[in-house]
Amino acid sequence: MRILEVLRAPVGGLFRHVADLTRELAARGHSVGIVVDTLSNDSQTEVLLDDLGAHASLGIHRYPMPRLFGRGDLTTPLAVSALARRLQVDVIHGHGAKGGFYARLAKFGRTKARVFYTPHGGVLHYPKISASGRLFHRLERMLMGKTSAIIFESAYARKTYAELIGEPSCRTEIIHNGLRPEEFVPVIPAGDAADFVFVGELRALKGIFTLVAALKDVKRRDGSGASLVMAGDGAERGSLEAQIDQLGLSGRVSLLGAQPARPTFAKGRIAVVPSHAESLPYVVLEAAAAQLPVISTRVGGIPEIFGSTADRLVPADDVLALRKAMQSAIDDPDAAQAEMKIRLSHIEAGFSIARMTDSIEALYHGSLRNADAVFH
């Protein structure tokens, strides 16, 4: 197959998903091209795209994709449609709100490609009452007829989409994100590892203030205060530092700045993901696959990752519940390890990159076969 993947900014979990999918599809003999934004690239994203370029035999193509609305919203769909015709692609797959918008608008051109769409949160982050939400949700309903299938990365995302926008009239599939085989190799905590490790953006939505407040009264078995390392950066780092100082935790909390997740896991013994909202966060998958005990909140698709251990999830923005879970993990490490192994088996069975790509590839093939049957 000849496949065009369309997304806006090549950063975060969405880009990781597209990059993994591109590499796997290319390894299976498919020709893949990438469409990204010209407005949000920096030196870091250029390195990522250059690395991916070896697997994108149809090239990496850049067009303006404004974050909200702008001139690019008029010109880029036409450009994507023309590119799809020139490359003779069979499939256009849009990722995120803007990627899905451009991929489906391209069908108003003369391309015969089948169009798939994965929201990755995207439009699901816009409430119905906001002006942007009303507009994006209206566009979603208008473009449903141009969509061969919507791929949701979690059952939670599909449910939320139906609640905000309406029950999809096109085909839908729930296909969980997957991890690479090497990500299931256990990470061994360093000798001086902290008790807890957090990896994520430093913003209130990620539960950083709840986490630090919960840590204050968590004790080690020798009675000393538990420690925490936090990898990440963001606009609310200053407020977080002020909270740490105010609570007298400067000696117990280390802020590492932005760091890759996997090496950071070795700096802690128990991963904590205290988010107030999520879709299907890679960091939970990565930490669990690295064989760390994981404490997390019951938001988004995280219960799907936890499987039969989902009863261990805590409510979002609940300092007392989070503190209790953290203290329990320190007091009974054997129970935390046993729970980790149950969760690991669940993730190994359902969240591999091979399984993810198998499902998406089969969906592409099935849609193309149906199109050929209708044509003939």
Side-chain angles (χ1 to χ4, degrees), residues 317-353:
D317 198 19
D318 188 327
V319 172
L320 294 178
L322 183 60
R323 180 184 300 151
K324 181 179 178 181
M326 294 168 70
Q327 189 64 61
S328 176
I330 283 186
D331 290 343
D332 195 345
D334 291 341
Q337 286 293 316
E339 180 186 317
M340 176 275 289
K341 290 178 180 177
I342 295 171
R343 190 174 304 125
L344 177 65
S345 296
H346 172 68
I347 293 171
E348 287 176 328
F351 294 84
S352 72
I353 195 169

Side-chain angles (χ1 to χ4, degrees), residues 170-238:
C170 63
R171 180 174 179 175
T172 66
E173 291 285 340
I174 297 168
I175 301 176
H176 290 128
N177 295 332
L179 298 178
R180 298 181 291 271
E182 61 269 23
E183 293 180 281
F184 287 93
V185 175
V187 168
I188 307 302
D192 61 348
D195 298 296
F196 301 101
V197 57
F198 166 91
V199 180
E201 191 177 358
L202 299 186
R203 54 191 295 223
L205 189 69
K206 295 299 183 180
I208 57 173
F209 301 114
T210 309
L211 172 57
V212 170
L215 178 74
K216 184 177 185 299
D217 293 323
V218 177
K219 304 294 184 184
R220 293 172 174 158
R221 299 168 89 179
D222 64 4
S224 61
S227 58
L228 166 69
V229 295
M230 303 181 73
D233 219 332
E236 293 180 278
R237 176 169 179 149

Side-chain angles (χ1 to χ4, degrees), residues 65-322:
M65 300 182 183
R67 184 174 180 83
L68 289 177
F69 296 100
R71 182 179 298 177
D73 293 324
L74 301 176
T75 60
T76 296
L78 298 174
V80 172
S81 183
L83 178 67
R85 294 195 304 272
R86 178 165 61 83
L87 296 177
Q88 298 181 319
V89 301
D90 305 298
V91 166
I92 306 174
H93 190 161
H95 299 265
K98 276 303 177 79
F101 179 52
Y102 296 136
R104 291 176 292 173
L105 280 179
K107 282 294 289 181
F108 285 95
R110 298 191 305 277
T111 178
K112 295 180 181 179
R114 305 293 283 175
V115 177
F116 300 83
Y117 166 47
T118 304
H120 294 282
V123 295
L124 309 183
H125 293 156
Y126 293 94
K128 282 184 176 182
I129 59 173
S130 71
S132 295
R134 289 194 298 271
L135 181 55
F136 273 123
H137 296 166
R138 188 178 302 118
L139 287 170
E140 284 290 323
R141 289 187 284 269
M142 289 172 55
L143 294 172
M144 200 80 71
K146 299 293 182 182
T147 311
S148 300
I150 302 176
I151 302 170
F152 294 101
E153 73 273 26
S154 66
Y156 163 80
R158 194 200 184 287
K159 176 176 177 288
T160 304
Y161 187 97
E163 291 172 348
L164 287 174
I165 294 155
E167 189 63 30
S169 58
C170 63
R171 180 174 179 175
T172 66
E173 291 285 340
I174 297 168
I175 301 176
H176 290 128
N177 295 332
L179 298 178
R180 298 181 291 271
E182 61 269 23
E183 293 180 281
F184 287 93
V185 175
V187 168
I188 307 302
D192 61 348
D195 298 296
F196 301 101
V197 57
F198 166 91
V199 180
E201 191 177 358
L202 299 186
R203 54 191 295 223
L205 189 69
K206 295 299 183 180
I208 57 173
F209 301 114
T210 309
L211 172 57
V212 170
L215 178 74
K216 184 177 185 299
D217 293 323
V218 177
K219 304 294 184 184
R220 293 172 174 158
R221 299 168 89 179
D222 64 4
S224 61
S227 58
L228 166 69
V229 295
M230 303 181 73
D233 219 332
E236 293 180 278
R237 176 169 179 149
S239 298
L240 179 65
E241 290 173 333
Q243 182 195 26
I244 291 168
D245 288 340
Q246 181 184 7
L247 294 176
L249 297 176
S250 298
R252 294 168 54 190
V253 180
S254 300
L255 301 182
L256 307 180
Q259 300 285 334
R262 189 170 172 84
T264 303
F265 291 147
K267 299 180 185 297
R269 302 182 184 281
I270 301 162
V272 188
V273 185
S275 300
H276 297 175
E278 288 286 359
S279 181
L280 193 81
Y282 268 107
V283 69
V284 177
L285 286 169
E286 291 167 337
Q291 301 187 30
L292 267 70
V294 181
I295 297 169
S296 189
T297 45
R298 182 178 290 277
V299 297
I302 294 177
E304 295 167 57
I305 299 173
F306 267 53
S308 63
T309 65
D311 61 334
R312 306 297 294 172
L313 293 167
V314 301
D317 198 19
D318 188 327
V319 172
L320 294 178
L322 183 60

